[in-house]
Every structure is written in C-alpha cells, then in structure tokens.
Amino acid sequence: MALFATIQSYEHPALHRNPIICPKSPSKNPVGSLRSIIIPMKNKSLLHAQVADSSLVQPLLAEDEALFEFDEYMATKAKKVDKALNEAVPLQYPKKIHRAMRYSLLAGGKRVRPVLCIASCELVGGDESLAIPTACAIEMVHTMSLIHDDLPCMDNDDLRRGKPTNHKAFGEETAVLAGDALLSLAFEHIAAKTTNVSPERVIQTIVELGSAVGSLGLVAGQMVDIHSEGKEVTLRELEYIHVHKTARLLEASVVCGAIMGGGNEIEVEKMRKYARCIGLLFQVVDDILDVTKSSEELGKTAGKDLVSDKATYPKLIGIEGAKNFAAELVAQAIEELAYFDGAKAAPLYYLANYIAKRQT
C-alpha cells in the first residue's frame, strides 16, 4: 500500500495551483516586502534572512544558543557521504568500468543533493543512517547525468570539476557505460542497503527518484533543452527546462530524505515546495555563473550556454533580473520552512542561502 495517494509531478494539476514564481519582466525590485524575513527559532531566538541580491543569511541567535556551524555541518555530512560512496563502488573486475565510475563519482563536488537528503531526513525526526543509502544513490544519479551531459553528442564538454570529463579520460564508450552502471546501481543501492525503514517507504523513495530522472523528469528537461538551442524560448518554456533538467532531482533529494526519515504527508509536501524553489534557484544561479565566472573559477567550461545559443535567465531577463528572481526563490523557500521548528530546519535555511551564494 502506498504511503501517499499520489506523487506530484510537474505535470500534476496541483502545480498550477502552486506554481513556481516566474518573473514577467526584469523589474528592478521584484522582491519587495520579501527582502527581509524573520523566522522563529527555538527558545524565541531568531534567524534573520536578508533576502537581497547577495541572498545573505545572517543568524541572530540568543546568547544561550550555539551558532549553527554550517561549514562544519556540510563538511561532516559530505565526508560521511564520500566514505559511503567509496565503499559502494569498489575497484573490481572489470577494472576499467569501475575506475571510470569512481573517477567521476569521487571527483569531489559540493555534495549538495546528498546533504539535502540527509538534512530532510533529520528534520522530520529520522537518523542520518536511514538516509545515507538514498543520499548515495542520488549522487550516483547526479554523476550519471554529468557524465552523459558532457558527451560529444550532448554538451560536448572537456572539463568537469577541474578535471578532464569522463569521456576524455576513458573514451566515449566507457563513459556511456559508466553512466549506465551508476544509474542502475543507484536503485539497487537503495533497495539493498537501506535498513530500519519500512518496505513501503523504500518503495516510495524508489518511485520518487525514478520519476525524477525519467521521461517526465530529468530526461524531459534535457530533451527540450537540446531542441531549444538556437530558437526563441519563452520564460515559461525556460522554466520547464530548468525545473525538469535540474530542479526535479534536487526536489527528489529533499522528498526522499523526508520519506526515509518518517515524514508524514503534510511534512513531505511542505518540503517538496521548498525543494522546488531551491531546485530552480540552483539553475538560475548556474545560468548567472556561466556568464560571470571563468572556466578556472567554475572548474568547468564557462560561457558554453552563450556559444551554443541556449536560453538562460540572464539572456531572457538580464543578469540583474536573474539575480532578483533568485532572491524571490530564496524567500519562497524560506517561507515553506516556517512550518517546521526553526532550530531543526537550520541546515535547510542555510542550504538555500548556500545555493544562492555559491560561486562554482
């Protein structure tokens, strides 16, 4: 029996009742009254989120409360994920394919998606151990998407995370197979390695992740993106691309963590709405960085969208309009978290800001 009656997708009618905000024009200040948001914390302390172009979050905590150490939190969680990923893909025969899988999977990166998964699990009362296998699986899926996205038949990129892309290091045939192997391993890993979680919740998680990456998820966004190159694209069409190609997997990261942690239907839906905002935010920031940073700073080829004549938010509404839209998305994400205890939700508050302020 399914835990929830339906799994909302971006084609679900509910989306039209709660759509992602999309700016109609690059206005100078679309944020308006959302520029300053006060969020209640435990013991009446406050987290004050300055939602401006810089999207700076400044914690104002009572003296009796320890400051939330976000950098330490990210480093600790990422280290645990890296250890689990290393164990999940041992170097074994045939060595070339496993070496290629490990090359991209263990190449570093911010581990935003697995950390979101873990933070969501903990927010609803679950232990991080319940979410680690799913967090690893999500990173496997994400890595697959990067390997395939870099291929000559797709974005034809030579650089990823400061290193040669997988097909440059191992050849196109091996890169395709490495991505395929990581995708299939992801679902196997959730089913085989998850413990102390009901079978119903494991199945729900697998369905959620599968829908995020399939023909109505990541693949849909990638397909529309490819066929939109060199064409006039509306804001609505651009949002469809970004929501599916990038945001959908980030949404799954948060939702899967909440499901594994034992979240109820209301909690899962609140976190889904939060995740939709930060998922689109991630891609808006990506669009901005592509035209404002160098390849050395990004660790990947800069200016690729401009060269391939792809639709981006800076192209359609300008850099300032894109920055203001990013600020709106941060504000909306924070608003969704107001349902939860502020202290427990602190990692997700800071993760929203981290995504907004990232420089790579």
Side-chain angles (χ1 to χ4, degrees):
M1 181 177 177
L3 286 173
F4 311 128
T6 61
I7 296 176
Q8 288 186 319
S9 73
Y10 288 97
E11 284 68 44
H12 196 281
L15 176 62
H16 302 293
R17 295 194 295 271
N18 297 289
I20 295 289
I21 298 172
C22 191
K24 294 180 180 179
S25 63
S27 59
K28 292 183 179 179
N29 182 23
V31 180
S33 62
L34 295 179
R35 189 168 290 279
S36 181
I37 296 175
I38 302 294
I39 301 153
M41 296 288 280
K42 185 177 64 176
N43 297 331
K44 298 183 180 180
S45 60
L46 298 173
L47 179 68
H48 182 240
Q50 293 291 343
V51 187
D53 288 348
S54 63
S55 301
L56 180 64
V57 171
Q58 293 285 1
L60 302 176
L61 299 174
E63 291 183 2
D64 62 335
E65 283 210 46
L67 183 67
F68 179 71
E69 296 289 348
F70 177 70
D71 290 341
E72 181 181 338
Y73 179 88
M74 285 291 290
T76 300
K77 299 301 185 187
K79 186 176 181 180
K80 291 180 180 180
V81 170
D82 286 341
K83 181 178 182 295
L85 288 171
N86 182 56
E87 295 171 352
V89 188
L91 186 57
Q92 57 188 326
Y93 184 83
K95 287 190 175 181
K96 185 174 183 180
I97 188 63
H98 289 97
R99 190 176 290 115
M101 293 165 67
R102 290 172 58 85
Y103 176 83
S104 294
L105 188 63
L106 304 177
K110 298 171 282 292
R111 304 304 192 208
V112 170
R113 291 159 189 82
V115 174
L116 279 168
C117 181
I118 294 169
S120 299
C121 176
E122 293 177 326
L123 176 57
V124 297
D127 185 79
E128 68 173 23
S129 62
L130 305 178
I132 288 287
T134 300
C136 289
I138 289 167
E139 191 67 9
M140 292 173 191
V141 171
H142 174 56
T143 301
M144 172 280 298
S145 73
L146 299 181
I147 294 173
H148 285 179
D149 197 45
D150 290 336
L151 289 169
C153 63
M154 301 289 278
D155 275 4
N156 191 26
D157 226 325
D158 298 339
L159 193 66
R160 175 69 68 179
R161 291 173 176 168
K163 298 169 60 178
T165 49
N166 198 287
H167 69 274
K168 285 293 181 180
F170 296 94
E172 289 182 40
E173 300 90 342
T174 301
V176 170
L177 292 173
D180 293 345
L182 285 169
L183 179 60
S184 60
L185 178 59
F187 296 97
E188 176 189 344
H189 196 70
I190 294 174
K193 299 299 181 180
T194 302
T195 57
N196 300 318
V197 177
S198 71
E200 290 83 4
R201 287 187 178 271
V202 174
I203 292 171
Q204 190 80 14
T205 297
I206 290 173
V207 171
E208 180 71 34
L209 183 56
S211 67
V213 73
S215 62
L216 295 180
L218 187 152
V219 170
Q222 187 71 271
M223 193 78 249
V224 177
D225 189 31
I226 290 171
H227 286 282
S228 298
E229 290 184 15
K231 299 178 182 178
E232 291 293 326
V233 174
T234 66
L235 274 173
R236 187 176 182 84
E237 290 167 336
L238 178 60
E239 183 180 307
Y240 180 93
I241 292 170
H242 284 347
V243 159
H244 290 77
K245 183 179 177 181
T246 302
R248 192 63 183 84
L249 186 57
L250 279 153
E251 178 185 330
S253 302
V254 172
V255 172
C256 289
I259 293 171
M260 285 295 188
N264 60 43
E265 191 168 356
I266 294 175
E267 290 171 329
V268 170
E269 185 57 27
K270 287 286 184 182
M271 298 182 74
R272 185 186 295 281
K273 291 177 180 178
Y274 159 84
R276 286 177 177 175
C277 294
I278 65 166
L280 185 54
L281 171 67
F282 194 98
Q283 187 60 55
V284 173
V285 173
D286 225 37
D287 284 357
I288 295 169
L289 294 176
D290 189 67
V291 295
T292 60
K293 297 293 181 179
S294 67
S295 298
E296 290 73 24
E297 290 173 307
L298 293 177
K300 60 182 180 180
T301 307
K304 288 283 291 183
D305 293 339
L306 187 63
V307 172
S308 59
D309 197 21
K310 283 189 175 183
T312 65
Y313 278 101
K315 181 179 177 181
L316 267 62
I317 61 176
I319 292 178
E320 287 307 310
K323 287 181 178 179
N324 288 335
F325 183 33
E328 284 197 40
L329 290 168
V330 173
Q332 189 176 347
I334 288 174
E335 186 178 343
E336 295 300 338
L337 289 179
Y339 173 83
F340 301 95
D341 176 78
K344 292 180 180 179
L348 294 175
Y349 286 129
Y350 279 80
L351 274 160
N353 178 63
Y354 175 80
I355 291 170
K357 286 181 60 63
R358 67 190 180 91
Q359 299 297 308
T360 59

